[in-house]
Amino acid sequence: MSNPLPPPPPPSTHHHQHQPLNIITPATTSATTMTSAPNREYRKGNWTIQETLTLITAKRLDDERRAKPSTSSPSKPGELRWKWIENYCWDHGCFRSQNQCNDKWDNLLRDYKKVRQYQSSHSQSQSSHPFLSYWSMERHQRKLHNLPTNMSPEVFEALNDVLQRKLNTQQQPHLNQPSFSQSPEQLPLKTDQNPPEVDAPVTVSEESDSSETESSENLDSKTKRKKVRKIGSSIMRSASVLAQTLKSCEENKEKRHQQVMELEHRRLQIEETRNEVNRKGITDLVAAMTNLSGAIQSLIANHYDQT
């Protein structure tokens, strides 16, 4: 169970001057409130490990804040999640925008899943070849296995902690529900184990009736077992279909995100091209005005020379 979000720190009376490369530090803002921060100039380039750990901490606190809201940090209906995370990161020395945080988080999850899947699948395999851990690989070996080349143990452990907390929070409401993970053979079968009592002496006809009763009971128990197996197989098929559907939804979500990023990239290219055209038009206009002014001055000089 995850811990509740601690109350926000009191506002500082001093302004700290950060001097990273190409960074303009604004006034201090509160990470637990949706304070607007205009004129922010965000840092670009590769993320440092400290920035990445700050982002992971912000994501964990935001998950806890939304899962268990409190009076100290209420979750507003129209609040933007990644804006809250941007404000937290900004207050802790990570000068990145909400879009940068969102993209970085998606990349971190993708790399984490690749490393976790590689470690779990190869460590449990019965192959005769010795298992080479991801953390023992060189950069070119990781690239050869189609794995992220720069995942650090600190980042992996922090991501694992956040995801485990989130998984425990999601499974909490389902602890009291019955489990259907048992196989059909483990389900209880209602069969009559005690034979029927007979008061009178058993005759030949009664023996035949008794044998027919036992055979009918055996048929009933076999029918029940078949029904239970059918129910179990139906549950397994439904679970498989559900897993495939969730996987397809996750893949479609990632595709949509990539499409949105491509559209944003194209929009920026069009905007840059339009600005370049405008700048060139202004330059040509200034040159034309200069030429026109020179021609007018030349005409005036010729007129005075003739007079």
Side-chain angles (χ1 to χ4, degrees):
M1 188 67 186
S2 60
N3 299 324
L5 179 68
S12 176
T13 57
H14 301 282
H15 296 283
H16 300 281
Q17 297 293 333
H18 302 276
Q19 295 181 353
L21 183 60
N22 296 328
I23 294 298
I24 300 177
T25 305
T28 304
T29 58
S30 175
T32 56
T33 59
M34 297 303 298
T35 306
S36 61
N39 301 327
R40 282 185 176 178
E41 187 168 344
Y42 302 103
R43 183 178 180 272
K44 298 181 180 179
N46 295 331
W47 286 62
T48 63
I49 294 181
Q50 185 59 42
E51 287 179 323
T52 305
L53 294 176
T54 301
L55 171 62
I56 297 173
T57 302
K59 190 66 171 63
R60 175 176 61 83
L61 294 178
D62 182 67
D63 290 340
E64 295 176 357
R65 182 178 67 96
R66 291 177 176 274
K68 190 175 181 180
S70 61
T71 56
S72 60
S73 59
S75 179
K76 300 178 182 179
E79 188 176 42
L80 297 177
R81 167 177 296 186
W82 292 102
K83 189 62 180 177
W84 190 95
I85 293 176
E86 174 191 325
N87 290 335
Y88 179 91
C89 292
W90 190 268
D91 288 344
H92 291 77
C94 177
F95 305 105
R96 303 284 184 167
S97 67
Q98 55 181 330
N99 292 334
Q100 288 176 309
C101 294
N102 191 355
D103 295 339
K104 181 62 176 178
W105 180 255
D106 291 342
N107 294 334
L108 286 174
L109 286 184
R110 185 176 64 251
D111 293 346
Y112 169 81
K113 290 178 182 178
K114 288 182 178 180
V115 175
R116 185 189 62 183
Q117 183 178 4
Y118 172 80
Q119 291 289 107
S120 60
S121 62
H122 286 73
S123 61
Q124 297 176 1
S125 64
Q126 302 297 328
S127 176
S128 58
H129 300 285
F131 169 66
L132 181 60
S133 173
Y134 172 83
W135 311 111
S136 302
M137 292 182 178
E138 299 293 337
R139 185 181 181 90
H140 68 278
Q141 293 174 318
R142 295 176 177 178
K143 186 179 295 186
L144 184 64
H145 287 81
N146 196 22
L147 295 172
T149 58
N150 56 350
M151 173 70 73
S152 65
E154 298 87 352
V155 173
F156 184 85
E157 290 297 330
L159 285 170
N160 188 63
D161 178 65
V162 172
L163 297 178
Q164 287 296 331
R165 288 172 181 265
K166 190 173 183 179
L167 181 62
N168 294 336
T169 303
Q170 292 176 350
Q171 292 180 347
Q172 188 69 21
H174 305 286
L175 292 179
N176 297 326
Q177 295 184 0
S179 175
F180 296 96
S181 60
Q182 293 181 340
S183 62
E185 290 76 11
Q186 294 175 341
L187 295 176
L189 299 176
K190 295 182 179 180
T191 58
D192 297 332
Q193 297 179 355
N194 296 326
E197 297 180 357
V198 180
D199 296 334
V202 178
T203 61
V204 176
S205 61
E206 289 176 348
E207 288 179 356
S208 62
D209 294 339
S210 177
S211 62
E212 291 177 356
T213 303
E214 291 178 356
S215 62
S216 63
E217 288 177 354
N218 291 332
L219 291 175
D220 291 340
S221 60
K222 289 181 180 179
T223 305
K224 290 179 181 178
R225 289 191 184 95
K226 290 181 179 179
K227 290 182 179 179
V228 170
R229 289 192 183 96
K230 289 181 180 179
I231 294 174
S233 61
S234 298
I235 293 175
M236 294 299 293
R237 284 196 300 269
S238 300
S240 177
V241 172
L242 180 60
Q244 291 293 335
T245 304
L246 292 176
K247 182 179 179 181
S248 177
C249 292
E250 190 69 22
E251 291 176 353
N252 291 335
K253 180 181 177 181
E254 186 172 357
K255 289 180 180 179
R256 288 195 298 270
H257 179 70
Q258 293 294 335
Q259 291 174 356
V260 170
M261 294 301 299
E262 290 177 0
L263 290 176
E264 183 67 17
H265 181 66
R266 292 177 183 176
R267 187 187 67 80
L268 292 176
Q269 287 181 342
I270 294 173
E271 187 72 19
E272 184 177 357
T273 303
R274 184 167 56 191
N275 293 336
E276 183 66 23
V277 171
N278 292 336
R279 285 194 296 267
K280 185 177 180 181
I282 293 175
T283 303
D284 293 342
L285 180 61
V286 170
M289 293 295 294
T290 303
N291 294 335
L292 181 61
S293 175
I296 293 174
Q297 291 179 358
S298 177
L299 289 175
I300 294 174
N302 291 336
H303 177 72
Y304 281 119
D305 291 339
Q306 291 177 1
T307 57

